[in-house]
Amino acid sequence: MELTKTPNHVAIIMDGNGRWAKQRNLPRTAGHKAGAARVEEIIETSGNLGIKSLSLFAFSTENWKRPKNEIKNIMKLLEYYLKNNVEDLSKNGIRLNLLGDISKLDEALQNQLKLALLKTENNDKMMLNIGLNYGGQDEILRAVRGTLMDCIKMGKDPEEISKEYFEDHLDTAKQAMVDLLIRPSGEYRISNFLLYQCAYAEFWFSDILWPDFTKEKYLEALEDYANRQRRFGGVNV
Ligand code: IPE
Ligand code: IPE
Ligand code: MG
């Protein structure tokens, strides 16, 4: 498919797994499994279309409020995903990057994630950002701390902190701001995802639940984006 305008950075809040399972009288964990199975096609499609950054929200700083068993299940699915897909990601030129503070995750999973980062670090076709223990507010706070620490270390005057310098301390350092934010599941909120980076994002909402989010739906969102008029505060001439 030819898009008249392709976003550089697409962010997706993968929501609705629990409701998908409930509709089928299945446990929530079955919904997460079905949701995880959707990811591959979306990554592949994004890479083929020339999207430069794809950000997927997998686990938020607020998701720790969920039952222990559900959290454990989500982490297991992630482990399984990494085990089975890192080779393919690497072969397809995809570089993995993590959004969020992974130091709260299980140590074995942390090591697996670090290895995946290393394995894909030389790829440059597309950046795949995965949000894990990620919250936009937490990210901004960490970036402020990091910026200040660097200033203190280098004796830099805070007045000299530029927008670019600050942005290099975000989890998306050197990447484009979000052009398109996709949220399925019928909720009309951002739920703490990429707050800074979505400053001028186009939003695309749908009632469809994440495990039903097909490539066709994705293309529909991208086509819709291609027809949006973005003004960034200016006027169209
Ligand atoms: C999104 O699906 C997955 C995570 C937050 C990890 P949910 O589990 O939030 O599904 P709903 O919103 O309950 O349907
Ligand atoms: C957002 O979904 C987080 C992820 C998809 C990882 P939630 O289900 O946690 O969001 P709320 O609670 O509906 O805002
Ligand atoms: Mg939800």
Side-chain angles (χ1 to χ4, degrees), residues 16-31 209:
N17 296 348
R19 279 163 282 175
W20 183 92
K22 198 169 176 204
Q23 282 176 354
R24 290 162 177 76
N25 279 321
L26 294 167
R28 292 180 60 82
T29 51
L209 303 171

Side-chain angles (χ1 to χ4, degrees), residues 14-19 28 66 183 185 187 189:
M14 306 188 291
D15 196 21
N17 296 348
R19 279 163 282 175
R28 292 180 60 82
R66 295 186 178 211
R183 179 162 196 162
S185 92
E187 309 294 352
R189 55 176 172 259

Side-chain angles (χ1 to χ4, degrees), residues 7 13-14 16 34 39 46 55 78 103-104 111-113 117 127 142 144 159 185 187 190 202-203 213 220 234:
I13 301 176
M14 306 188 291
V39 168
S46 305
S55 296
L78 183 71
S103 69
K104 290 241 169 59
N111 291 335
Q112 205 185 353
L113 286 164
L117 290 177
M127 188 72 102
R142 285 185 289 105
V144 168
E159 289 292 336
S185 92
E187 309 294 352
I190 195 165
E202 295 294 324
F203 286 64
F213 195 84
E220 201 180 304

Side-chain angles (χ1 to χ4, degrees), residues 110-155:
Q110 280 186 49
N111 291 335
Q112 205 185 353
L113 286 164
K114 284 175 195 161
L115 208 66
L117 290 177
L118 274 178
K119 270 198 180 152
T120 62
E121 73 179 348
N122 294 320
N123 296 341
D124 60 3
K125 183 170 165 193
M126 184 179 82
M127 188 72 102
L128 172 64
N129 300 305
I130 301 188
L132 277 177
N133 186 28
Y134 174 85
Q137 292 177 336
D138 177 65
E139 178 195 28
I140 292 168
L141 189 61
R142 285 185 289 105
V144 168
R145 284 195 198 118
T147 306
L148 289 177
M149 295 289 246
D150 275 1
C151 282
I152 293 166
K153 253 192 271 168
M154 291 153 65

Side-chain angles (χ1 to χ4, degrees), residues 29-215:
T29 51
H32 293 312
K33 193 172 169 197
R38 276 280 151 231
V39 168
E40 211 178 309
E41 188 179 51
I42 299 301
I43 295 173
E44 195 189 316
T45 306
S46 305
N48 291 341
L49 288 170
I51 288 164
K52 284 288 154 208
S53 294
L54 174 68
S55 296
L56 301 178
F57 205 3
F59 194 84
S60 77
T61 44
E62 286 72 36
N63 287 149
W64 296 107
K65 293 175 193 158
R66 295 186 178 211
K68 278 211 167 60
N69 247 345
E70 181 172 344
I71 296 174
K72 223 170 139 182
N73 176 262
I74 293 170
M75 298 301 165
K76 278 261 163 284
L77 280 170
L78 183 71
E79 246 178 75
Y80 182 81
Y81 174 81
L82 291 170
K83 206 170 143 217
N84 291 292
N85 292 278
V86 172
E87 276 325 313
D88 268 1
L89 288 181
S90 206
K91 258 189 247 146
N92 293 325
I94 293 164
R95 180 172 179 185
L96 188 70
N97 178 52
L98 300 174
L99 309 174
D101 172 13
I102 65 157
S103 69
K104 290 241 169 59
L105 307 182
D106 185 74
E107 217 174 292
L109 179 59
Q110 280 186 49
N111 291 335
Q112 205 185 353
L113 286 164
K114 284 175 195 161
L115 208 66
L117 290 177
L118 274 178
K119 270 198 180 152
T120 62
E121 73 179 348
N122 294 320
N123 296 341
D124 60 3
K125 183 170 165 193
M126 184 179 82
M127 188 72 102
L128 172 64
N129 300 305
I130 301 188
L132 277 177
N133 186 28
Y134 174 85
Q137 292 177 336
D138 177 65
E139 178 195 28
I140 292 168
L141 189 61
R142 285 185 289 105
V144 168
R145 284 195 198 118
T147 306
L148 289 177
M149 295 289 246
D150 275 1
C151 282
I152 293 166
K153 253 192 271 168
M154 291 153 65
K156 194 176 162 100
D157 180 351
E159 289 292 336
E160 286 171 32
I161 299 171
S162 65
K163 184 171 176 281
E164 290 71 25
Y165 189 77
F166 174 71
E167 287 173 357
D168 280 349
H169 291 82
L170 291 168
D171 295 344
T172 51
K174 308 279 183 225
Q175 296 182 57
M177 293 291 122
V178 174
D179 295 303
L180 173 64
L181 175 85
I182 294 176
R183 179 162 196 162
S185 92
E187 309 294 352
Y188 301 96
R189 55 176 172 259
I190 195 165
S191 298
N192 209 3
F193 196 38
L194 297 170
L195 298 181
Y196 183 97
Q197 295 86 342
C198 280
Y200 260 104
E202 295 294 324
F203 286 64
W204 193 86
F205 295 106
S206 160
D207 284 344
I208 198 161
L209 303 171
W210 174 251
D212 293 326
F213 195 84
T214 55
K215 178 179 171 180

